[in-house]
């Protein structure tokens, strides 16, 4: 296993071939996953958790605070993705089972927004190796955009599709360092203390077997 990311002080924007090997290793058919990516590197793939990694999914705002805390005061992170208004932190296998118990004992655990923990028996859809190319705008798009009224612009923004899944920290080695449950607990508690928002309720919920793609 590689050293904690703070030792290298860099993050990858795109998945490297070595990182793709690591992701594919989570599948029962790594060669099949690699073949799919070779044909379509912008395809999102669903992979099982519990062997190569677990995934902890957080509300986007809180998740970014946790990631920031890990990089500013902690050991850094492993791969991190953004998807469906949430941040997905890749963690050591077993973290999805252990983290809820640790948060349950922590005084500030209830202040954290609900987390979804994906471990053995669950699966997540990971972002593509490379983000899709939006391509050039259609001819005349600039001329047609100018006369748009403010009301129509607002409607377009409201109906715009959600941002595509993307890597915030992409895997770039075959054995990336992954945070354990204790590290994630540390970051969650400090992020909750920093916000000062006691949201109450259950801090951790049971995840469905499939992360929404």
């Amino acid at each position: 296993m590689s050293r904690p990311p703070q030792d290298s002080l860099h993050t990858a924007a795109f998945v490297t071939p070595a990182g793709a090997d690591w992701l594919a290793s989570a599948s029962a058919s790594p060669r099949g996953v690699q073949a799919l990516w070779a044909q379509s590197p912008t395809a999102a793939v669903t992979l099982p958790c519990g062997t190569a990694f677990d995934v902890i999914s957080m509300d986007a705002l809180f998740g970014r605070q946790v990631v920031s805390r890990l990089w500013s005061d902690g050991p850094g992170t492993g791969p991190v993705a953004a998807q469906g208004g949430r941040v997905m932190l890749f963690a050591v296998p077993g973290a999805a089972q252990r983290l809820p118990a640790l948060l349950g004992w922590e005084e500030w655990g209830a202040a954290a927004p609900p987390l979804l923990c994906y471990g053995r028996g669950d699966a997540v859809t990971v972002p593509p190796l490379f983000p899709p190319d939006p391509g050039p705008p259609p001819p005349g798009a600039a001329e047609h955009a100018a006369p748009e009224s403010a009301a129509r612009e607002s409607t377009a923004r409201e109906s715009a599709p959600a941002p595509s899944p993307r890597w915030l920290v992409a895997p770039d080695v075959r054995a990336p360092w992954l945070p354990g449950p204790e590290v994630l607990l540390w970051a969650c508690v400090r992020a909750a203390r920093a916000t000062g928002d006691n949201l109450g309720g259950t801090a951790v919920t049971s995840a469905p077997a499939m992360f929404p793609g």
Side-chain angles (χ1 to χ4, degrees):
M1 179 155 304
S2 62
R3 294 173 298 175
Q6 286 286 35
D7 292 350
S8 56
L9 295 178
H10 77 283
T11 60
F14 305 107
V15 179
T16 65
D21 288 344
W22 172 71
L23 287 170
S25 71
S27 172
S29 178
R31 290 185 179 180
V33 174
Q34 293 283 24
L36 174 61
W37 276 330
Q39 182 179 8
S40 179
T42 59
V45 174
T46 299
L47 297 173
C49 300
T51 53
F53 54 77
D54 281 2
V55 170
I56 309 301
S57 171
M58 308 178 180
D59 167 81
L61 178 59
F62 184 73
R64 289 178 181 273
Q65 293 171 338
V66 169
V67 170
S68 177
R69 181 68 64 171
L70 284 167
W71 278 102
S72 62
D73 300 326
T77 68
V80 181
Q83 181 166 262
R86 299 183 72 84
V87 169
M88 300 163 56
L89 280 81
F90 287 68
V92 299
Q97 180 178 4
R98 180 66 177 151
L99 180 59
L102 293 176
L103 276 171
W105 283 97
E106 175 60 45
E107 178 184 358
W108 280 83
L115 310 182
L116 296 178
C117 302
Y118 298 86
R120 185 172 295 276
D122 301 323
V124 296
T125 300
V126 301
L129 304 185
F130 302 96
D133 184 358
E143 290 82 352
H144 293 328
E148 292 289 337
S149 67
R152 293 182 62 183
E153 289 177 356
S154 175
T155 301
R157 283 195 299 270
E158 292 175 358
S159 60
S164 300
R166 65 193 186 281
W167 291 103
L168 303 179
V169 181
D172 59 350
V173 293
R174 283 187 173 86
W177 179 85
L178 299 174
E182 293 81 6
V183 171
L184 293 172
L185 172 69
W186 172 89
C188 286
V189 168
R190 278 152 184 78
R193 286 175 175 170
T195 61
D197 295 328
N198 191 341
L199 302 181
T202 303
V204 182
T205 63
S206 298
M210 186 74 69
F211 191 94

Short mmCIF file of all heavy atoms in Angstrom, two decimals, residues 81-104:
data_model
loop_
_atom_site.label_atom_id
_atom_site.label_comp_id
_atom_site.label_asym_id
_atom_site.label_seq_id
_atom_site.Cartn_x
_atom_site.Cartn_y
_atom_site.Cartn_z
N ALA A 81 -14.76 11.43 -5.13
CA ALA A 81 -15.59 11.73 -6.30
C ALA A 81 -16.78 12.58 -5.87
O ALA A 81 -17.17 12.59 -4.70
CB ALA A 81 -16.07 10.44 -6.97
N ALA A 82 -17.34 13.30 -6.83
CA ALA A 82 -18.56 14.07 -6.62
C ALA A 82 -19.64 13.51 -7.54
O ALA A 82 -19.39 13.32 -8.74
CB ALA A 82 -18.32 15.55 -6.90
N GLN A 83 -20.82 13.27 -6.98
CA GLN A 83 -21.87 12.65 -7.77
C GLN A 83 -23.22 12.89 -7.11
O GLN A 83 -23.38 12.68 -5.90
CB GLN A 83 -21.62 11.15 -7.88
CG GLN A 83 -22.65 10.41 -8.71
CD GLN A 83 -22.20 9.02 -9.08
OE1 GLN A 83 -21.69 8.81 -10.16
NE2 GLN A 83 -22.35 8.07 -8.18
N GLY A 84 -24.19 13.34 -7.90
CA GLY A 84 -25.55 13.47 -7.41
C GLY A 84 -25.70 14.37 -6.20
O GLY A 84 -26.50 14.08 -5.32
N GLY A 85 -24.92 15.46 -6.13
CA GLY A 85 -25.01 16.36 -4.99
C GLY A 85 -24.36 15.83 -3.73
O GLY A 85 -24.60 16.35 -2.64
N ARG A 86 -23.53 14.80 -3.85
CA ARG A 86 -22.84 14.24 -2.70
C ARG A 86 -21.36 14.03 -3.04
O ARG A 86 -20.98 13.98 -4.20
CB ARG A 86 -23.48 12.91 -2.28
CG ARG A 86 -24.93 13.05 -1.86
CD ARG A 86 -25.51 11.74 -1.37
NE ARG A 86 -24.98 11.34 -0.06
CZ ARG A 86 -25.46 11.78 1.10
NH1 ARG A 86 -26.47 12.63 1.14
NH2 ARG A 86 -24.94 11.35 2.25
N VAL A 87 -20.58 13.92 -1.99
CA VAL A 87 -19.15 13.65 -2.11
C VAL A 87 -18.90 12.22 -1.65
O VAL A 87 -19.38 11.81 -0.59
CB VAL A 87 -18.31 14.64 -1.29
CG1 VAL A 87 -16.86 14.20 -1.20
CG2 VAL A 87 -18.40 16.04 -1.90
N MET A 88 -18.17 11.45 -2.44
CA MET A 88 -17.88 10.05 -2.14
C MET A 88 -16.41 9.91 -1.77
O MET A 88 -15.53 10.15 -2.61
CB MET A 88 -18.20 9.18 -3.36
CG MET A 88 -19.64 9.25 -3.82
SD MET A 88 -19.87 8.61 -5.52
CE MET A 88 -19.17 6.95 -5.38
N LEU A 89 -16.14 9.55 -0.53
CA LEU A 89 -14.78 9.31 -0.08
C LEU A 89 -14.51 7.80 -0.11
O LEU A 89 -15.25 7.03 0.51
CB LEU A 89 -14.55 9.85 1.33
CG LEU A 89 -14.29 11.36 1.45
CD1 LEU A 89 -15.61 12.11 1.42
CD2 LEU A 89 -13.55 11.67 2.73
N PHE A 90 -13.46 7.40 -0.81
CA PHE A 90 -13.08 6.00 -0.85
C PHE A 90 -12.23 5.70 0.38
O PHE A 90 -11.29 6.43 0.70
CB PHE A 90 -12.32 5.70 -2.14
CG PHE A 90 -13.21 5.67 -3.35
CD1 PHE A 90 -13.82 6.83 -3.82
CD2 PHE A 90 -13.46 4.48 -4.02
CE1 PHE A 90 -14.66 6.81 -4.93
CE2 PHE A 90 -14.31 4.44 -5.13
CZ PHE A 90 -14.90 5.61 -5.58
N ALA A 91 -12.60 4.64 1.08
CA ALA A 91 -11.98 4.30 2.36
C ALA A 91 -11.56 2.84 2.37
O ALA A 91 -11.87 2.07 1.45
CB ALA A 91 -12.96 4.58 3.49
N VAL A 92 -10.84 2.45 3.41
CA VAL A 92 -10.38 1.06 3.52
C VAL A 92 -11.58 0.14 3.66
O VAL A 92 -12.61 0.51 4.23
CB VAL A 92 -9.44 0.88 4.74
CG1 VAL A 92 -8.19 1.74 4.60
CG2 VAL A 92 -10.17 1.20 6.03
N PRO A 93 -11.50 -1.06 3.11
CA PRO A 93 -12.59 -2.03 3.30
C PRO A 93 -12.85 -2.25 4.80
O PRO A 93 -11.92 -2.37 5.59
CB PRO A 93 -12.04 -3.30 2.63
CG PRO A 93 -11.08 -2.80 1.61
CD PRO A 93 -10.43 -1.60 2.23
N GLY A 94 -14.10 -2.24 5.16
CA GLY A 94 -14.49 -2.38 6.56
C GLY A 94 -14.87 -1.06 7.21
O GLY A 94 -15.52 -1.04 8.25
N ALA A 95 -14.47 0.06 6.59
CA ALA A 95 -14.79 1.37 7.17
C ALA A 95 -16.28 1.63 7.20
O ALA A 95 -16.80 2.28 8.12
CB ALA A 95 -14.07 2.48 6.39
N ALA A 96 -17.00 1.14 6.19
CA ALA A 96 -18.44 1.38 6.14
C ALA A 96 -19.17 0.74 7.32
O ALA A 96 -20.20 1.24 7.76
CB ALA A 96 -19.01 0.82 4.83
N GLN A 97 -18.63 -0.34 7.84
CA GLN A 97 -19.25 -1.00 9.00
C GLN A 97 -18.80 -0.36 10.30
O GLN A 97 -19.58 -0.24 11.25
CB GLN A 97 -18.89 -2.48 8.99
CG GLN A 97 -19.49 -3.26 10.16
CD GLN A 97 -19.15 -4.74 10.10
OE1 GLN A 97 -18.41 -5.19 9.23
NE2 GLN A 97 -19.70 -5.50 11.03
N ARG A 98 -17.56 0.07 10.35
CA ARG A 98 -16.98 0.56 11.60
C ARG A 98 -17.33 2.03 11.89
O ARG A 98 -17.58 2.39 13.04
CB ARG A 98 -15.46 0.39 11.54
CG ARG A 98 -14.70 0.86 12.76
CD ARG A 98 -15.03 0.02 13.98
NE ARG A 98 -14.24 0.43 15.13
CZ ARG A 98 -14.65 0.32 16.39
NH1 ARG A 98 -15.84 -0.19 16.66
NH2 ARG A 98 -13.88 0.70 17.38
N LEU A 99 -17.38 2.87 10.85
CA LEU A 99 -17.59 4.31 11.07
C LEU A 99 -18.91 4.62 11.77
O LEU A 99 -18.93 5.46 12.68
CB LEU A 99 -17.49 5.05 9.74
CG LEU A 99 -17.68 6.57 9.81
CD1 LEU A 99 -16.64 7.21 10.72
CD2 LEU A 99 -17.61 7.19 8.41
N PRO A 100 -20.04 4.01 11.39
CA PRO A 100 -21.29 4.32 12.11
C PRO A 100 -21.19 4.05 13.61
O PRO A 100 -21.72 4.82 14.42
CB PRO A 100 -22.31 3.41 11.44
CG PRO A 100 -21.76 3.16 10.08
CD PRO A 100 -20.28 3.10 10.25
N ALA A 101 -20.52 2.96 13.99
CA ALA A 101 -20.39 2.65 15.41
C ALA A 101 -19.55 3.70 16.12
O ALA A 101 -19.87 4.12 17.24
CB ALA A 101 -19.76 1.26 15.59
N LEU A 102 -18.48 4.14 15.47
CA LEU A 102 -17.63 5.16 16.09
C LEU A 102 -18.38 6.48 16.24
O LEU A 102 -18.28 7.15 17.27
CB LEU A 102 -16.38 5.37 15.25
CG LEU A 102 -15.40 4.18 15.19
CD1 LEU A 102 -14.25 4.49 14.23
CD2 LEU A 102 -14.85 3.86 16.58
N LEU A 103 -19.12 6.87 15.21
CA LEU A 103 -19.89 8.12 15.30
C LEU A 103 -20.97 8.02 16.38
O LEU A 103 -21.32 9.02 17.02
CB LEU A 103 -20.52 8.43 13.95
CG LEU A 103 -19.63 9.16 12.94
CD1 LEU A 103 -20.31 9.21 11.58
CD2 LEU A 103 -19.31 10.57 13.42
N GLY A 104 -21.52 6.83 16.56
CA GLY A 104 -22.55 6.66 17.57
C GLY A 104 -22.05 6.92 18.98
O GLY A 104 -22.82 7.31 19.86
#
